[in-house]
Amino acid sequence: MTALAGPEQNIFLMSEMILDAVDLQILRALQENARLTTKELALRVHLSTTPVFERLKRLEKGGFIRKYVAVLDAEKLGRGFTVFCSVKLKQMSRSVARNFVSVIRDIPQVAECYNISGEYDYLLKIQAPDMKYYNEFIINVLGSIDSIGSILSSFVMDEIKNTHALYL
């Protein structure tokens, strides 16, 4: 049973694991700051540390929390030139798609990759230092992938909203 509800209601998921309002509070708090201690989380959700610790372990084991990460500043690290690259394969078949995905996963400059519908088959997000670097990347890296038929690049001029948080 899958039923999504408002912020303070239970969410029933495909796994049949039910997340209640406290679980959602914990997840929201961790999206804001994954470095919160169990004690700090307990204070935020008005429970003692033991039940919060048990809920955290249940959320981790259930796959609701996949990992804890630090969100870095791409601009300060010289990777502030963001490009969305639409890729169309020469032909679409299971083996061609599997090979393309395997190659893309091993390219560190590709921050995100999505299989999309429409005119193009994949959407890549690439973080680069500048246009020259991206040009070399297209020629030397993506250009070496035989299955690519065409590429359309869209350059980010201004970042309006960027969040890794899910609306809960």
Side-chain angles (χ1 to χ4, degrees), residues 3-45:
L4 299 180
E8 295 306 319
Q9 298 174 357
N10 292 342
I11 295 181
F12 301 90
L13 302 158
M14 293 297 288
S15 66
E16 297 303 322
M17 185 172 169
I18 298 173
L19 300 184
D20 64 16
V22 174
D23 293 327
L24 295 176
Q25 283 180 307
I26 290 170
L27 293 174
R28 280 188 211 103
L30 288 173
Q31 285 189 126
E32 290 175 23
N33 183 358
R35 294 186 66 178
L36 290 173
T37 65
T38 305
K39 184 177 180 180
E40 291 168 327
L41 275 172
L43 287 170
R44 287 187 184 208
V45 300

Side-chain angles (χ1 to χ4, degrees), residues 107-140:
I107 300 173
Q109 296 92 334
V110 177
E112 299 173 34
C113 176
Y114 303 95
N115 180 218
I116 59 173
S117 65
E119 188 176 338
Y120 288 86
D121 301 311
Y122 294 92
L123 179 65
L124 313 178
K125 179 182 178 185
I126 294 135
Q127 297 291 151
D130 53 34
M131 178 68 83
K132 182 176 174 136
Y133 181 96
Y134 180 70
N135 185 51
E136 293 294 321
F137 173 78
I138 289 293
I139 293 167
N140 298 317

Side-chain angles (χ1 to χ4, degrees), residues 51-68:
V52 169
F53 178 79
E54 290 169 356
R55 283 173 180 265
L56 272 173
K57 291 303 164 200
R58 182 174 53 87
L59 290 167
E60 290 169 356
K61 186 177 178 183
F64 296 97
I65 300 172
R66 293 192 326 202
K67 63 182 173 180
Y68 298 90

Side-chain angles (χ1 to χ4, degrees), residues 80-127:
F81 185 69
T82 304
V83 183
F84 288 96
C85 179
S86 300
V87 174
K88 185 175 199 167
L89 300 180
K90 290 178 185 173
Q91 66 175 25
M92 180 54 85
S93 71
R94 186 176 308 220
S95 63
V96 170
R98 192 175 318 148
N99 183 55
F100 174 78
V101 168
S102 176
V103 170
I104 289 298
R105 283 187 174 136
D106 291 335
I107 300 173
Q109 296 92 334
V110 177
E112 299 173 34
C113 176
Y114 303 95
N115 180 218
I116 59 173
S117 65
E119 188 176 338
Y120 288 86
D121 301 311
Y122 294 92
L123 179 65
L124 313 178
K125 179 182 178 185
I126 294 135
Q127 297 291 151

